[in-house]
Amino acid sequence: MTTPSSPAAGPKSAAAFERARRLMPGGVNSPARAFGAVGGTPLFIDHAEGPYLFDIDGNRLIDYIGSWGPMILGHAHGEVIEAIVQAAGRGTSYGAPTEAESQLAEQIIDAVPSVEKVRLVNSGTEATMSAIRVARGATGRDKIIKFAGNYHGHVDSLLVAAGSAAATLGVPDSPGVTPGAGQDTIVLSYNDAESVQQTFQQYPGQIAAVILEPIVGNMGCVPATLEFLQTLRDVTTDDGAILIFDEVMTGFRVAFGGAQERFGITPDMTTLGKIVGGGMPLGAYGGRADIMDQVLPAGKVFQAGTLSGNPVAVAAGSATLRLLKNDSPYAYLDMIGDRLAKGLDHAATAAGIDHCVQGVGSMVTLFFHPGPVHSWNEAEHCDREMFGRYFWGLIQAGVYMPCSQFEALFISRMHTEAIIDETIAAAERVLSQLA
Ligand code: HOZ
C-alpha cells in the first residue's frame, strides 16, 4: 500500500502514534484503526460532537465512521450522555440483576421481529460466539455455514475467510486459529443460493446453523438479495438448522427492527452490538424462546460475564433505543444516504473512474470496482491503491471516511443535507485528481 507523500495527520497525532506503537501492538487496540490499509499515520481523536470528530491537532472532520456504527444519533447526544451520567452516579457495576436490564430486553424484543428472549453481553464478538454455541447446543449438530467476506468478530470458528480488518490486513484466516476450530465451518460464497442448497443436500441433518450479515458492512456494503435470504430461510427450516442474522451493524440501523424488518425475513436467532449499546460496550443475542431457553441457567449451554448487563452500558443503550423509537429517523437516513450515494456516483463518473456505489439507507460504499459487488470474489478486486489516495484526499478536505475499502460508511441523524453536499463537493475535487 502506498503511503501518501504528505499524510494529513498533524504533528501531535504523529507523536502520539509513535508513543502508542511502543506500548500496544501496532499502536492500537483494534487493527483497522492503525490505517494499515491506507498508509500514513492515524489521526488521534480528542473529542467528538454531533457529526464531527476533532483530532488532537485541532482539525475538525466530518465523521463517516461513527465508531464503526454505533453513533446513529451523532456523537455526545445530550440525552444519552445524561443517561450515562445518571447511571454512573449510582455505581458502575453490581454483578447482580437490575430492572434496567429488563427494560432494555423489552425494548429489543419489541423492536426485533425474531427476538422473543435475549441475553445481554459485552460486544458483538461475544454475541456471535455465544449464538453459535447455543445453536450447536440446541440442535446437537456441529457444522456451521458462513459466507466469505462476512465478519462476525474475532470468534475462532468464524475467523475463516473473514471480512473487515481481517480481509483488509490480509489475515482472513488468522494464525492461532487451529484447524480443529475451523474444521466444522463451511465457507460459501455470499448471495450464492445454489451452493447453500447443495451443501444441505451433502450434509443432511448435520448443519447446526447458517450465520450471515443480511447486509454485509464488512466487505464494503453488500446487501443480500431477497432470493438468497428466502432460500436460506427455506432450507434451514426444512432441515431443522438455525438461521442466524448477524445484525451487529444493521440492527437499529437500516430499520428499527434491523435488516430482518427491512427485508421481511425472520431468522431464528439474531446477534446485536454497536447501536444497541449507544456507544458503550454492549452486545446481545436473542431469538426464539425455545432456543434461548437452552442457555444456562434455564438450560445447559454455558455463557456468562461479570460485566454482562452493565448498568452504564444498559442506560446508554436504553436511551438510544428510546430516542430511535420516538424519533424514527429512518426515512431521513434513507433520504440522505441516497443523496450521498448518488453524489459519490456522479463524482466518480465525472472523473472517469471505474466504480460502483452500493448502499442501504445510512450504510454506503464507493467501490473502486465496476461492480456490481455481490460477493467477496468481486470485492477483493477493488483498486485499493486508489482507495487509499481517495481516503487521504478526503482527510485533507476535512472528511473522515472508513480507512478501508472493506468497511461501509455510516451516516448519523446529525448529518444535515448541507454536510452531505459539502462531502460530495469534496469527493468531486478529490476524485477528479485520481483518475
Ligand atoms: N470491527 C470493526 C469494523 N468492522 C472495527 C473496530 C475498530 O477498529 O474499532
Side-chain angles (χ1 to χ4, degrees):
M1 177 55 57
T2 317
T3 302
S5 51
S6 54
K12 288 187 178 168
S13 279
F17 192 44
E18 253 188 65
R19 176 187 177 205
R21 278 163 60 168
R22 290 194 297 272
L23 304 168
M24 293 170 276
V28 288
N29 284 308
S30 189
R33 301 174 195 180
F35 280 16
V38 290
T41 302
L43 275 54
F44 276 58
I45 304 305
D46 179 70
H47 68 284
E49 201 182 312
Y52 298 114
L53 290 176
F54 297 82
D55 75 4
I56 59 176
D57 285 286
N59 298 306
R60 187 188 80 171
L61 299 119
I62 303 171
D63 180 21
Y64 285 98
I65 296 190
S67 185
W68 305 94
M71 310 318 299
I72 192 168
L73 296 173
H75 293 285
H77 188 287
E79 288 180 53
V80 179
I81 299 299
E82 180 56 24
I84 291 171
V85 169
Q86 288 286 329
R90 292 195 297 274
T92 53
S93 185
Y94 317 126
T98 61
E99 290 184 304
E101 288 162 86
S102 295
Q103 186 185 318
L104 179 56
E106 267 170 10
Q107 289 173 289
I108 295 168
I109 290 165
D110 229 35
V112 186
S114 64
V115 179
E116 294 172 355
K117 277 193 176 178
V118 66
R119 178 56 75 81
L120 305 181
V121 291
N122 297 294
S123 68
T125 292
E126 258 191 68
T128 55
M129 176 185 75
S130 308
I132 292 294
R133 185 179 303 150
V134 172
R136 284 175 162 155
T139 57
R141 304 173 181 181
D142 295 341
K143 293 189 193 307
I144 51 175
I145 292 177
K146 81 168 287 275
F147 297 94
N150 283 215
Y151 177 71
H152 305 290
H154 56 281
V155 179
D156 276 7
S157 63
L158 299 171
L159 206 49
V160 183
S164 191
T168 304
L169 303 175
V171 286
D173 307 285
S174 170
V177 175
T178 62
Q183 77 180 3
D184 289 317
T185 305
I186 300 167
V187 181
L188 300 179
S189 183
Y190 196 68
N191 274 322
D192 181 352
E194 214 176 297
S195 72
V196 179
Q197 284 163 327
Q198 283 166 0
T199 305
F200 271 91
Q201 278 159 14
Q202 194 180 348
Y203 300 108
Q206 296 173 59
I207 295 164
V210 176
I211 185 166
L212 78 157
E213 298 180 73
I215 298 163
V216 187
N218 286 294
M219 54 175 160
C221 186
V222 180
T225 64
L226 199 51
E227 181 220 347
F228 178 61
L229 291 180
Q230 192 60 61
T231 302
L232 297 184
R233 183 59 289 178
D234 294 344
V235 292
T236 49
T237 303
D238 291 349
D239 189 77
I242 289 174
L243 179 60
I244 306 171
F245 277 10
D246 178 341
E247 297 234 38
V248 169
M249 279 187 173
T250 51
F252 309 103
R253 163 66 62 184
V254 296
F256 191 51
Q260 57 199 267
E261 177 190 319
R262 192 155 179 138
F263 283 119
I265 304 259
T266 305
D268 303 299
M269 295 186 79
T270 298
T271 60
L272 297 163
K274 301 192 189 278
I275 292 174
V276 74
M280 297 290 285
L282 190 147
Y285 66 99
R288 282 182 5 221
D290 63 306
I291 298 173
M292 290 305 292
D293 279 338
Q294 303 290 324
V295 181
L296 205 73
K300 293 193 171 150
V301 178
F302 190 85
Q303 181 266 308
T306 298
L307 291 170
S308 292
N310 173 267
V312 184
V314 165
S318 195
T320 299
L321 298 198
R322 178 172 44 75
L323 288 160
L324 287 173
K325 186 172 181 182
N326 293 344
D327 297 354
S328 195
Y330 298 101
Y332 175 75
L333 289 168
D334 279 10
M335 187 271 287
I336 54 168
D338 190 52
R339 190 180 182 105
L340 180 61
K342 287 198 173 113
L344 293 177
D345 187 32
H346 185 262
T349 303
I353 291 171
D354 276 348
H355 74 284
C356 67
V357 179
Q358 296 186 181
V360 179
S362 55
M363 296 170 68
V364 178
T365 297
L366 166 59
F367 285 103
F368 288 87
H369 179 286
V373 176
H374 294 301
S375 68
W376 177 243
N377 283 346
E378 287 125 5
E380 71 172 338
H381 291 114
C382 289
D383 186 339
R384 298 184 216 185
E385 192 271 333
M386 190 177 276
F387 177 85
R389 289 190 286 135
Y390 165 72
F391 170 82
W392 275 109
L394 282 178
I395 289 275
Q396 276 152 351
V399 179
Y400 191 85
M401 288 286 175
C403 48
S404 162
Q405 173 74 95
F406 305 128
E407 301 281 0
L409 68 81
F410 296 103
I411 305 172
S412 85
R413 179 68 185 86
M414 300 307 287
H415 287 70
T416 60
E417 288 182 60
I419 288 175
I420 298 292
D421 291 347
E422 191 184 330
T423 306
I424 294 168
E428 275 167 1
R429 290 195 302 276
V430 170
L431 290 165
S432 71
Q433 288 164 13
L434 292 187

